[in-house]
Amino acid sequence: MKSINPATGELVKEYGQMDDSEINGIIQKATAAQRGWAELSYEQRAKRLYNAAKLLEINSEEYAELMAREMGKPLAQGRCRGRKMCMGM
């Protein structure tokens, strides 16, 4: 699958295709991770979500630039979207 910048037609990134065994492996890992998540206390989950939001915030400029290249979003919109993601966690 190719990610093309809609404004320039430039190739941003090319993603390889997965076969069924790779997809099934990812599903199995996600299922196992969910079981572990369910066993965490509210406080433990809250701390992990807080840390994830902090990482989004730290890398928000990079994500905003990626959204601009891949989706044609103005950079300001990408920055706004990044802030909303952080606030929603």
Side-chain angles (χ1 to χ4, degrees):
M1 182 170 94
K2 294 180 181 179
S3 175
I4 307 290
N5 182 321
T8 66
E10 169 193 5
L11 177 67
V12 176
K13 186 167 181 172
E14 191 163 351
Y15 299 91
Q17 189 168 342
M18 290 186 220
D19 61 28
D20 288 348
S21 66
E22 289 174 294
I23 294 168
N24 288 332
I26 291 169
I27 291 169
Q28 288 173 354
K29 287 179 183 178
T31 300
Q34 193 285 324
R35 286 187 201 112
W37 180 259
E39 293 174 3
L40 295 175
S41 69
Y42 171 80
E43 291 80 14
Q44 291 170 313
R45 285 184 267 172
K47 183 174 181 168
R48 283 173 172 79
L49 288 173
Y50 176 81
N51 290 338
K54 281 307 213 186
L55 286 173
L56 284 171
E57 186 177 26
I58 289 166
N59 296 298
S60 63
E61 187 67 19
E62 179 183 342
Y63 298 140
E65 290 173 7
L66 183 61
M67 283 187 259
R69 288 194 313 269
E70 287 192 335
M71 296 185 255
K73 277 187 175 283
L75 200 49
Q77 274 187 5
R79 287 181 181 127
C80 180
R81 181 68 183 141
R83 283 191 299 274
K84 286 180 182 177
M85 286 188 300
C86 293
M87 291 170 54
M89 292 190 92

